[in-house]
Amino acid sequence: MVAPPDNDVLWARALHVKHNGSPALSGVSLGVRVGEILAVGGPRGSGKTTLLRCLSGQLLPQQGEVWFNSTPVHTMGPHTRERLRRDRFGWIDPAPVLVPELNAWENAALPLMLRGVGRRQAKTTALEWLERLDIGGCARRRPYALLQAERQRVAIARALVPAPTVLFADEPTAPLHRVESASVLRTLTTAARSHGITVVLATHDADTAALADRKVSLLDGRRVNTVHLPPATETESEGRAACSLSA
Amino acid sequence: MLALRLARGARPAVQLRRFLVAVASAGTGFLLLCALGFAMGHPHDSSAAALRLAWCLAPLAATVQFAVAVARTDPATRPRSGLSAIGLGPGRLMLLAAISTAVSCTLGSVVALLCVLHLRGDLSGLPFDGEASELLAGNQPLPLAATLTLLALVPLAASLASALALRPREGRPSGAGRTRRTGTRAAATEAGGSGRDAHPDAPGPPVEPHPAPRPTPTGLPWGVAVLAAGLAVETYASRSGPASGPALPGSLAGGSVGVLLGWALTTLGLAMAGPALTHLSGRLLQAMRPGALRLLAGRILMEEAGRIGRPLGVVCAVASGAYAMAALHADARPEVGPLTVLGVLLVAGCAVGTLLTAAVEAKHARADTTAALLGLGAPATLLRGAAALRAGALLAVLGPLTWAIAGLAAVPLAD
């Protein structure tokens, strides 16, 4: 094993992942620098989520290496990876997955409480972040009473509250309308830059990727320089004839 | 056929639950046939035979409750994309649930019939030196219509009840629990095979992931009122003299109709108060500046009160009844027949089984949240600790309560 370069907080080499035999990643290598916002682009099914889950230690690649701050993640046991995820990483799902029984500030404070921070301090920090994300007014409401955009902001606050080293955002604006999506992304990137948090952002949207410092594109589980789909070889009428049952 | 195909592909835990339903159904069917045999053997003692048949109602009710709980937990009866894509909506799934319940119960009934025939010596010689044959009126032919009617009772009642429980309702698309969304396929794929096993319906239709909380259970005043009324009726009836009421099976201490009525009311009150008591336990658990563990445990308990509370109330009622019985007969051991033992075992087993199945159902319904918590890096020990804390809180609240009610219920009978 070769130790990765020092200025990379995360470093992946030749990742190969198959989900029950169907290939998801085939030989992806990647370096994430400290404090940058890295966009991972590509259409649906190109392996973005799988790559993020490999990098964040939720999924072990069948082949390849993942290093975090010069520590190998791919050789860690499940408990160590769990602790790493809890203490160093943040994760934002495409749709907000909040704990429905807890209200907004309790949801946001949960990661801090899981780390053993006292209730009062966790509450103060969570309320600060909710205020910063413009949802301080609904801190006492349960998730069912929030709009989807507000829930996603709570999920972002929950990911930011423990001040993670790396924040993984898997299409964080997928369920939102464009106006909300732009403002959510702006708050996310601003907060990350002001707190020096490294962000790995999966997106299939070119506008979203424009907010990032650097962009990496995936296509069919491989890293490509430009996502450029080959033109269809057959014209439409030929395709129809070929699929016709009577032919 | 689809029901059978879906049943065949299920996981071992699901098959075990179905098997237990079949066992319960077999036990109940056996008891019913024994009542029939008694009636055939004692044609002049019709009131005693009717009483025996009436006592079969308790195992019957317990079996039906258990079958409904299992049907609600059955992954085959949940809406899922694979089936909704071919047009199998909640309506047809209700039918599927009814059919699979009927299949397991009928299986049990057939086993009961075989047992009875074997004991009567109709199949291959007489077992147990013909002692059982006497009980089952082995010298007379078994009436076909009566046998079939009694044996069809459990499957019919159970499938009707499960169809009713799973009927499609507005605003509640899924009968047994929320299906999972794509966002949290994390946990399912992470653990490979075992993770997939835990969530058999991984690609579910998009269901609202943040449902409104269930209304706070309000049954506590009613439950307490009914319970108090039951205790009062019992005390009053026992004071009005040792009337010769219907005897309890297995020559247990008999009481008047009033005492039995009081007992039934007490049981009903406990079952009614169950959800509210569970909710109360959860509220107490998360009170007073909780940390992550108590917060999660208490809130989850409050949310699951409606699901777990009722079977829990039934378990408490059965336990208090059993405790009262044991307290009454602590000194003199009564002559308890094998059939009574079977009935008591059936009722107790079904009550506990229903409670456990409801707990499984609650766990499935919370699969999304659990995955989200694990994604946050919550240690599995925290989740297990929260579950243990919930169980402990319930035990701490309901245990002494059950004990006290059992003591109160036993007082008038002891005189």
Side-chain angles (χ1 to χ4, degrees):
Chain A
M1 286 194 292
V2 185
D6 285 342
N7 58 346
D8 280 2
V9 63
L10 262 177
W11 189 74
R13 197 174 71 88
L15 294 178
H16 285 264
V17 176
K18 284 183 178 177
H19 292 313
N20 286 336
S22 43
L25 290 180
S26 21
V28 175
S29 300
L30 183 78
V32 185
R33 295 177 203 134
V34 179
E36 77 168 345
I37 296 180
L38 173 71
V40 178
R44 283 188 66 147
S46 57
K48 302 187 295 289
T49 305
T50 312
L51 177 63
L52 257 65
R53 292 186 52 221
C54 279
L55 290 177
S56 65
Q58 295 183 37
L59 184 71
L60 275 185
Q62 276 112 26
Q63 285 174 40
E65 300 170 3
V66 178
W67 293 72
F68 169 73
N69 274 348
S70 309
T71 335
V73 178
H74 53 280
T75 53
M76 286 179 180
H79 290 286
T80 329
R81 276 187 287 134
E82 187 182 283
R83 197 170 336 118
L84 178 74
R85 231 166 47 226
R86 187 163 66 238
D87 296 345
R88 295 306 191 88
F89 294 160
W91 178 271
I92 302 172
D93 271 310
V97 191
L98 304 174
V99 182
E101 290 91 0
L102 308 182
N103 63 28
W105 80 256
E106 284 164 340
N107 262 300
L110 195 58
L112 279 184
M113 290 204 215
L114 287 179
R115 290 184 184 188
V117 177
R119 179 184 165 86
R120 187 188 298 267
Q121 197 193 335
K123 182 176 180 178
T124 319
T125 319
L127 286 178
E128 268 172 22
W129 271 107
L130 290 179
E131 202 66 55
R132 222 169 284 172
L133 293 171
D134 298 333
I135 39 168
C138 34
R140 297 197 169 279
R141 275 196 257 158
R142 294 268 199 102
Y144 77 94
L146 298 175
L147 301 178
Q148 186 75 347
E150 291 169 340
R151 287 182 201 151
Q152 188 65 342
R153 280 167 196 257
V154 174
I156 292 175
R158 182 177 69 180
L160 286 169
V161 156
T165 312
V166 186
L167 177 61
F168 298 92
D170 182 11
E171 305 223 14
T173 56
L176 304 184
H177 285 183
R178 281 192 305 160
V179 180
E180 288 161 352
S181 141
S183 85
V184 161
L185 265 182
R186 240 189 338 266
T187 38
L188 174 63
T189 47
T190 315
R193 283 189 211 280
S194 62
H195 287 72
I197 298 172
T198 311
V199 179
V200 183
L201 180 71
T203 176
H204 63 263
D205 184 13
D207 297 344
T208 311
L211 285 167
D213 300 324
R214 201 157 61 90
K215 187 179 175 190
V216 169
S217 294
L218 293 183
L219 187 62
D220 294 342
R222 291 172 202 282
R223 195 170 156 184
V224 292
N225 288 326
T226 45
V227 177
H228 183 68
L229 295 172
T233 49
E234 290 175 330
T235 62
E236 204 179 330
S237 59
E238 280 169 352
R240 196 179 299 152
C243 293
S244 164
L245 288 174
S246 57
Chain B
M1 280 318 284
L2 181 62
L4 291 179
R5 284 302 294 259
L6 287 176
R8 212 186 61 182
R11 293 173 294 131
V14 178
Q15 303 287 27
L16 176 72
R17 288 201 288 268
R18 288 193 189 126
F19 173 72
L20 287 179
V21 168
V23 168
S25 158
T28 310
F30 183 74
L31 283 181
L32 285 168
L33 287 186
C34 285
L36 175 68
F38 180 84
M40 278 159 40
H42 307 76
H44 306 295
D45 201 358
S46 61
S47 68
L51 186 68
R52 276 174 171 248
L53 200 60
W55 274 111
C56 289
L57 277 181
L60 181 68
T63 307
V64 168
Q65 189 206 13
F66 183 46
V68 168
V70 168
R72 285 170 62 95
T73 330
D74 203 333
T77 63
R78 255 181 269 172
R80 41 182 173 172
S81 60
L83 290 181
S84 76
I86 57 168
L88 270 178
R92 294 301 289 279
L93 285 175
M94 175 189 82
L95 208 62
L96 269 183
I99 291 175
S100 51
T101 310
V103 166
S104 2
C105 289
T106 312
L107 208 64
S109 289
V110 169
V111 171
L113 180 64
L114 287 181
C115 272
V116 167
L117 289 181
H118 179 61
L119 287 179
R120 281 162 52 90
D122 290 352
L123 292 182
S124 58
L126 269 179
F128 305 130
D129 300 332
E131 274 183 33
S133 165
E134 203 173 313
L135 179 74
L136 292 166
N139 47 357
Q140 298 172 37
L142 209 56
L144 183 70
T147 314
L148 284 187
T149 309
L150 286 180
L151 282 183
L153 205 55
V154 179
L156 274 183
S159 36
L160 263 182
S162 51
L164 271 182
L166 289 175
R167 71 184 182 278
R169 267 176 276 185
E170 274 308 308
R172 210 195 65 169
S174 148
R178 304 199 316 276
T179 37
R180 297 165 45 72
R181 296 165 311 103
T182 48
T184 49
R185 55 199 169 188
T189 33
E190 180 181 27
S194 62
R196 279 160 45 80
D197 278 357
H199 314 294
D201 50 346
V207 178
E208 171 61 43
H210 300 291
R214 295 150 172 274
T216 311
T218 50
L220 191 58
W222 278 107
V224 170
V226 170
L227 207 152
L231 286 178
V233 165
E234 199 179 329
T235 317
Y236 182 77
S238 67
R239 195 172 291 171
S240 62
S244 57
L248 267 68
S251 71
L252 292 175
S256 62
V257 182
V259 171
L260 283 181
L261 184 71
W263 228 350
L265 278 179
T266 316
T267 309
L268 188 69
L270 257 180
M272 280 171 76
L277 286 173
T278 313
H279 193 267
L280 188 70
S281 317
R283 188 170 284 276
L284 289 179
L285 198 58
Q286 57 97 49
M288 299 290 287
R289 313 179 55 78
L293 181 69
R294 270 203 301 139
L295 189 67
L296 281 175
R299 291 287 171 82
I300 292 172
L301 198 54
M302 284 165 73
E303 189 62 27
E304 298 301 341
R307 223 190 288 269
I308 294 186
R310 208 163 291 277
L312 196 62
V314 172
V315 168
C316 284
V318 170
S320 89
Y323 181 84
M325 271 297 169
L328 279 181
H329 301 286
D331 40 354
R333 210 174 167 74
E335 288 279 316
V336 180
L339 291 186
T340 316
V341 171
L342 178 63
V344 168
L345 277 184
L346 263 181
V347 171
C350 283
V352 173
T354 309
L355 178 61
L356 293 181
T357 315
V360 169
E361 185 193 342
K363 187 186 154 205
H364 280 186
R366 296 187 40 76
D368 261 356
T369 315
T370 311
L373 282 172
L374 289 177
L376 276 180
T381 46
L382 176 97
L383 298 181
R384 258 178 254 135
L389 201 58
R390 270 177 277 163
L394 284 180
L395 208 62
V397 169
L398 291 174
L401 189 75
T402 308
W403 178 73
I405 288 173
L408 279 178
V411 164
L413 290 179
D415 293 339

